[in-house]
């Protein structure tokens, strides 16, 4: 092969900017890292982040917490999930999603996906009716939004309580509504590989005051809920404060301090991610036999990663394809493996959930490849890696 190898790491995010480093240094010098450790009328960094994220998200309330997975499990509890209840969710998602359902005492029912990597709405209707489940935890996996208008029809018809996993759709929109604002709650992650980076962290948003009051008490507020930003008024807490347990999962001021300056750059970064995404998408789409998921016109996505399929590829070929890319420095994830490798997970590896038949999704996942597009990649880098993928795919494309 004549093509030059790609040498940039796929796991390298941009450095934390100077403003965030200065803010973190200030918190460190103060020694007041705990979110409720404030002096006089000081608003903590965590409370300020909650206010600023609620404003960005256009939601009334926001809770900063320990992780995206924590936000989801607290959301399910605060929404009233009872032990052993079913929760509908996507087959194609990441381990924290069934994990959050399990942590909250629920049982996942996996709904099939389509080849555009979104929820199969026919299967959703069918399973909602058959199961009588009260909850849908939709995972906008890899940032692909389902037709939200059609989804909401099904949600309303079946009286489903909708919670959105927006780990990959922070900043995304359907028409002019932000992902996360369609149901009872939106759950976001600020783990390093998402759209804001505090190492670990989560944000939970909602417009429902009683839901949010419960979530705040669950998160471990030590009855200091009046020190929250973007929280319901204290009278909403009166009835529930003593009947809601403390499941400590707070965010600290250090993490909040580095997230606040990053939030100011989020819109700019979305444009940068999408420039990179569109370069790779355009290149791959030109090749007959490589399928890139379609996007709706109504969707404003955040292209922080890209997926494509090589329909008809078998296990041996898929492994060889990955190996060839790797030799040229391109790290692909493949969702067809029964055994989890790194973050690659498949419902078959979640053995704590009873085995479910998901033939349609299995078929799609067996030919699905995925790669991150960190902002440390230049546009030229994106063209370069596209060429490598195309070159390596030629012998595996079925005509
Ligand atoms: C990262 C991620 C989450 C939440 O992750 P945490 O590591 O718990 O913050 C949830 N859903 C998906 C699809 C994710 O990729």
């Amino acid at each position: 092969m004549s093509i030059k190898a790609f040498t940039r790491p796929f796991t390298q995010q941009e450095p934390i900017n100077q403003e965030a480093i200065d803010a973190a240094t200030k918190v460190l010098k103060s020694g007041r890292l705990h979110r409720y450790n404030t002096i006089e009328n000081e608003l903590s960094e965590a409370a300020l982040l909650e206010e600023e994220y609620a404003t960005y998200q256009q939601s009334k309330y926001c809770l900063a917490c320990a992780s995206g997975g924590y936000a989801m499990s607290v959301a399910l509890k605060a929404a009233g999930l009872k032990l052993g209840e079913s929760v509908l969710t996507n087959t194609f998602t990441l381990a924290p999603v069934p994990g959050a359902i399990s942590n909250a005492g629920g049982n996942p029912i996996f709904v099939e996906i389509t080849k555009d990597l979104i929820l199969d709405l026919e299967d959703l209707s069918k399973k909602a009716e058959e199961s009588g489940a009260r909850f849908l935890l939709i995972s906008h996996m890899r940032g692909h939004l389902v037709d939200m208008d059609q989804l909401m029809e099904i949600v309303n018809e079946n009286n489903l309580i909708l919670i959105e996993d927006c780990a990959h759709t922070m900043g995304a929109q359907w028409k002019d509504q932000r992902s996360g604002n369609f149901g009872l709650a939106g759950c976001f992650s600020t783990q390093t590989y998402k759209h804001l980076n505090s190492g670990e962290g989560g944000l939970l948003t909602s417009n429902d005051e009683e839901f949010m009051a419960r979530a705040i008490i669950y998160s471990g507020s030590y009855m200091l809920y009046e020190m929250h930003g973007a929280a319901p008024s204290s009278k909403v807490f009166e009835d529930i404060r003593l009947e809601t347990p403390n499941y400590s999962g707070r965010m600290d001021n250090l993490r909040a301090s580095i997230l606040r300056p990053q939030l100011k750059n989020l819109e700019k970064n979305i444009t940068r991610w999408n420039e990179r995404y569109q370069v790779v998408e355009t290149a791959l789409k030109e090749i007959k036999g490589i399928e890139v998921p379609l996007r709706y016109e109504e969707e404003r996505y955040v292209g922080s990663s890209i997926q494509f399929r090589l329909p008809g590829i078998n296990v041996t070929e898929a492994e060889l394809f990955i190996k060839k890319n790797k030799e040229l420095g391109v790290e692909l994830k493949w969702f067809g493996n029964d055994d989890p490798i790194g973050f690659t997970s498949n419902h078959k590896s979640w053995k704590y959930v009873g085995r479910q038949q998901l033939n349609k999704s299995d078929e799609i996942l067996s030919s699905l490849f995925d790669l991150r597009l960190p902002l440390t990649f230049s546009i030229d880098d994106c063209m370069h890696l596209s060429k490598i993928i195309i070159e390596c795919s030629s012998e595996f494309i079925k005509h």
Side-chain angles (χ1 to χ4, degrees):
M1 272 187 215
S2 55
I3 205 160
K4 204 165 92 250
F6 189 77
T7 52
R8 289 201 188 269
F10 281 73
T11 49
Q12 184 61 58
Q13 301 291 48
E14 291 192 294
I16 300 300
N17 68 37
Q18 193 57 47
E19 191 186 346
I21 293 171
D22 292 344
T25 306
K26 204 168 149 215
V27 171
L28 289 171
K29 283 187 175 158
S30 80
R32 295 188 296 280
L33 274 70
H34 192 273
R35 68 166 297 162
Y36 302 122
N37 183 195
T38 55
I39 46 166
E40 283 144 36
N41 295 323
E42 184 182 43
L43 273 170
S44 73
E45 288 288 324
L48 288 166
L49 173 67
E50 287 166 339
E51 282 180 2
E52 289 163 9
Y53 195 75
T55 303
Y56 174 80
Q57 179 64 23
Q58 296 160 3
S59 66
K60 263 195 193 155
Y61 309 120
C62 176
L63 168 68
C65 60
S67 69
Y70 184 87
M72 290 187 281
S73 62
V74 155
L76 287 166
K77 296 290 286 182
L81 181 77
K82 298 199 184 69
L83 197 63
E85 261 196 284
S86 296
V87 179
L88 296 155
T89 193
N90 309 46
T91 300
F92 178 45
T93 185
L94 232 58
V97 177
I101 295 171
S102 165
N103 198 9
N107 293 322
I109 298 179
F110 296 117
V111 177
E112 300 265 26
I113 54 152
T114 74
K115 63 184 177 52
D116 295 315
L117 310 183
I118 51 181
L119 214 51
D120 177 336
L121 294 178
E122 245 174 75
D123 196 47
L124 174 65
S125 288
K126 182 170 144 267
K127 286 180 176 158
E129 259 173 55
E130 276 172 11
S131 68
R134 293 197 297 144
F135 299 90
L136 168 61
L137 173 56
I138 190 173
S139 182
H140 303 302
M141 179 65 169
R142 291 299 190 253
H144 296 277
L145 286 180
V146 71
D147 182 325
M148 293 302 292
D149 298 323
Q150 280 185 37
L151 178 82
M152 292 317 291
E153 275 179 32
I154 298 170
V155 163
N156 294 331
E157 267 166 34
N158 293 279
N159 281 320
L160 293 171
I161 298 172
L162 175 67
I163 296 169
E164 293 175 78
D165 167 21
C166 304
H168 304 163
T169 55
M170 177 186 276
Q173 286 176 205
W174 176 262
K175 295 181 182 163
D176 51 9
Q177 195 169 342
R178 284 221 192 277
S179 180
N181 293 353
F182 285 82
L184 176 62
C187 305
F188 302 84
S189 170
T190 62
Q191 187 243 67
T192 294
Y193 301 112
K194 314 298 162 98
H195 301 166
L196 298 177
N197 176 9
S198 60
E200 304 285 355
L203 296 162
L204 174 64
T205 59
S206 179
N207 289 331
D208 185 296
E209 57 179 20
E210 190 179 321
F211 166 87
M212 189 49 77
R214 280 186 200 283
I216 289 172
I217 304 265
Y218 276 131
S219 78
S221 66
Y222 302 127
M223 300 299 162
L224 296 168
Y225 42 79
E226 287 180 9
M227 295 174 72
H228 275 250
S233 76
S234 47
K235 77 175 191 317
V236 185
F237 291 82
E238 292 293 300
D239 293 337
I240 54 132
R241 60 198 277 274
L242 302 181
E243 61 175 53
T244 308
N246 174 327
Y247 298 153
S248 285
R250 293 166 300 272
M251 180 179 283
D252 56 84
N253 287 333
L254 188 55
R255 289 192 229 178
S257 73
I258 66 171
L259 289 170
R260 293 180 58 217
Q262 290 179 54
L263 182 57
K264 291 193 221 159
N265 293 329
L266 180 55
E267 285 298 307
K268 202 172 74 204
N269 284 345
I270 290 172
T271 307
R272 296 171 65 216
W273 265 307
N274 290 353
E275 282 164 4
R276 285 153 180 76
Y277 182 93
Q278 279 149 17
V279 164
V280 183
E281 184 190 44
T282 306
L284 297 185
K285 265 188 170 168
E286 268 174 32
I287 309 302
K288 204 161 165 280
I290 300 185
E291 287 194 14
V292 182
L294 293 179
R295 299 280 194 177
Y296 287 105
E297 236 170 71
E298 293 88 340
E299 183 183 1
R300 187 238 195 179
Y301 60 87
V302 183
S304 51
S305 69
I306 188 161
Q307 295 69 46
F308 65 93
R309 289 191 313 119
L310 295 177
I313 197 165
N314 68 35
V315 175
T316 323
E317 290 169 332
E319 280 166 355
L320 191 58
F321 175 61
I322 292 169
K323 188 166 164 267
K324 292 199 161 202
N325 277 281
K326 183 120 203 255
E327 281 165 6
L328 287 168
V330 173
E331 281 173 46
L332 295 180
K333 292 203 168 108
W334 175 48
F335 287 96
N337 214 322
D338 285 0
D339 205 42
I341 300 170
F343 292 98
T344 307
S345 45
N346 182 303
H347 67 97
K348 288 176 195 158
S349 68
W350 302 325
K351 296 238 159 99
Y352 55 90
V353 180
R355 187 64 181 269
Q356 299 176 21
Q357 280 295 324
L358 295 148
N359 300 338
K360 182 179 172 185
S361 303
D362 289 346
E363 160 104 42
I364 292 162
L365 295 177
S366 72
S367 62
L368 180 64
F369 301 91
D370 168 67
L371 64 151
R372 283 201 185 101
L373 297 173
L375 293 173
T376 48
F377 289 3
S378 67
I379 300 290
D380 282 349
D381 289 336
C382 292
M383 290 190 205
H384 183 189
L385 69 85
S386 306
K387 285 201 189 107
I388 292 174
I389 293 170
I390 290 167
E391 177 142 339
C392 293
S393 69
S394 61
E395 63 186 284
F396 305 109
I397 286 173
K398 315 274 153 140
H399 293 285

